[in-house]
């Protein structure tokens, strides 16, 4: 199956944006990936071995956290696994939508 | 200082997006190619802000939308080079939340101030470092076509 590597992790995956692994489950695919590219491990997992909270693993369109069998989900050669770090943030501006917090551009 | 190069139409598009979603934060991705001095952007992709509970000061892109954007980038032979969002009625500087939630090391984070519905300053910050522990934002210059817009302004 294909594993799509996000831009920030490519330096730790031989510079490639997609890697092919032979695997029967999602867990085996990740194991094969980190076996071939050990540097990826600390970017994907905490020192305790848990998937980092901001790392999302998608089997095709599905978040593996919400699949009934999670990492034991069966995969076929036609599936693709995407590694996607989360994107979020915000201005932290306090107050509501009124004019109180407005910034005037000089 | 690294340089973010982007076509004028992309610059205009991400600023227009912030005006359209005002008073909420807009968000999206930037596709491009790496260059020695920084990213060369070729296109932007709009995304929905899923933080409808607090959209005036928070944004989030659904991971499944990022999966689609990553596929689109690959089809176009480009890479996800960075992301943009707006700060309604707030300066275009990264916030503690922006920093805590930034995980795409090596990517550009572009922020546009939208004051009373009008796009103001646009700044770019490179998420530098090699791990979550040593990551930090660095000011980045924005260069549009051949013309310099300059370094981030406070
Ligand atoms: Zn922000």
């Amino acid at each position: 199956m294909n594993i799509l590597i996000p831009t920030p992790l490519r330096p730790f995956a031989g510079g490639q944006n997609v890697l092919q692994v032979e695997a029967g489950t999602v867990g085996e695919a990740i194991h094969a990936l980190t076996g071939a590219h050990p540097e990826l491990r600390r970017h994907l997992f905490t020192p305790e071995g848990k998937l980092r909270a901001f790392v999302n693993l998608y089997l095709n369109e599905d978040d593996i956290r919400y699949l009934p069998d999670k990492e034991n989900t069966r995969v076929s050669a036609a599936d693709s696994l995407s590694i996607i770090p989360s994107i979020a943030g915000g201005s932290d501006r306090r107050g509501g939508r009124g004019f109180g917090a407005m910034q005037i551009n000089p | 200082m690294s340089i973010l190069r982007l076509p004028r139409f992309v610059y205009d598009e991400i600023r227009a997006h912030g005006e359209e979603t005002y008073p909420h934060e807009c968000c999206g991705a930037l596709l491009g190619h790496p260059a020695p001095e920084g990213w060369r952007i070729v296109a932007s992709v709009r995304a929905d802000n899923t933080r409808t509970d607090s959209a005036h000061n928070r944004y989030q892109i659904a991971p499944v939308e990022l999966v689609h954007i990553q596929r689109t980038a690959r089809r176009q032979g480009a890479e996800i080079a960075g992301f943009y969002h707006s700060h309604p009625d707030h300066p275009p500087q990264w916030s503690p939340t922006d920093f805590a939630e930034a995980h795409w090391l090596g990517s550009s984070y572009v922020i546009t101030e939208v004051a009373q519905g009008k796009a103001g300053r646009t700044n770019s910050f490179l998420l530098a470092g090699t791990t979550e522990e040593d990551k930090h934002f660095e000011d980045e210059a924005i260069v549009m076509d051949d013309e310099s817009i300059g370094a981030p302004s406070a």
Side-chain angles (χ1 to χ4, degrees):
Chain A
M1 70 182 309
N2 285 335
I3 303 182
L4 276 78
I5 310 294
T7 322
L9 295 183
R10 282 180 204 160
F12 313 107
Q16 298 172 86
N17 62 10
V18 57
L19 292 165
Q20 291 213 320
V21 298
E22 302 252 345
T25 65
V26 169
E28 287 174 22
I30 293 298
H31 190 76
L33 176 70
T34 55
H37 300 282
E39 270 198 283
L40 282 174
R41 205 169 285 139
R42 69 192 170 107
H43 293 281
L44 300 177
F45 298 98
T46 63
E48 295 74 38
K50 286 185 73 86
L51 187 65
R52 288 184 182 266
F54 60 84
V55 175
N56 303 288
L57 287 180
Y58 270 70
L59 179 60
N60 306 316
E61 305 280 305
D62 297 311
D63 188 337
I64 67 151
R65 288 187 179 96
Y66 301 112
L67 289 173
D69 293 332
K70 301 199 163 48
E71 63 273 12
N72 296 320
T73 305
R74 305 285 310 168
V75 297
S76 75
D79 288 327
S80 69
L81 188 66
S82 296
I83 301 172
I84 291 282
S86 63
I87 280 293
S91 72
D92 295 347
R93 178 170 68 87
R94 285 164 192 266
R97 300 178 173 97
F99 296 112
M102 197 181 73
Q103 303 286 327
I104 306 288
N105 207 0
Chain B
M1 187 189 287
S2 57
I3 298 171
L4 180 75
R5 290 182 188 277
L6 73 180
R8 175 172 287 278
F9 78 89
V10 171
Y11 183 79
D12 291 343
E13 161 60 24
I14 64 179
R15 290 163 56 81
H17 193 191
E19 292 184 346
E20 283 173 41
T21 61
Y22 180 88
H24 297 159
E25 296 197 7
C26 73
C27 51
L30 298 169
L31 309 186
H33 305 281
E37 73 278 10
W39 288 102
R40 284 176 183 270
I41 303 305
V42 294
S44 61
V45 183
R46 289 184 176 209
D48 283 331
N49 182 356
T50 62
R51 284 298 303 271
T52 48
D53 57 310
S54 189
H56 68 288
N57 69 354
R58 288 284 184 274
Y59 79 97
Q60 182 173 39
I61 302 178
V64 73
E65 201 165 357
L66 293 170
V67 169
H68 294 152
I69 293 169
Q70 185 160 266
R71 271 194 217 133
T72 302
R74 191 166 160 246
R75 260 201 313 274
Q76 296 181 1
E79 296 181 33
I80 295 181
F83 301 90
Y84 70 87
H85 70 283
S86 62
H87 280 181
D89 298 322
H90 200 78
Q93 294 293 321
W94 56 269
S95 69
T97 298
D98 284 333
F99 179 71
E101 304 272 11
H103 304 296
W104 284 65
L105 298 167
S107 297
S108 293
Y109 284 75
V110 175
I111 303 175
T112 297
E113 159 189 51
V114 183
Q116 277 195 294
K118 285 294 292 175
R121 294 159 297 171
T122 297
N123 288 334
S124 185
F125 306 94
L126 178 72
L127 187 64
T130 55
T131 65
E132 277 296 305
E133 289 68 42
D134 74 355
K135 72 178 184 182
H136 55 280
F137 274 127
E138 290 177 356
D139 289 358
E140 201 172 39
I142 293 178
V143 172
M144 209 173 22
D145 300 330
D146 289 327
E147 157 198 2
S148 173
I149 301 179
S153 51

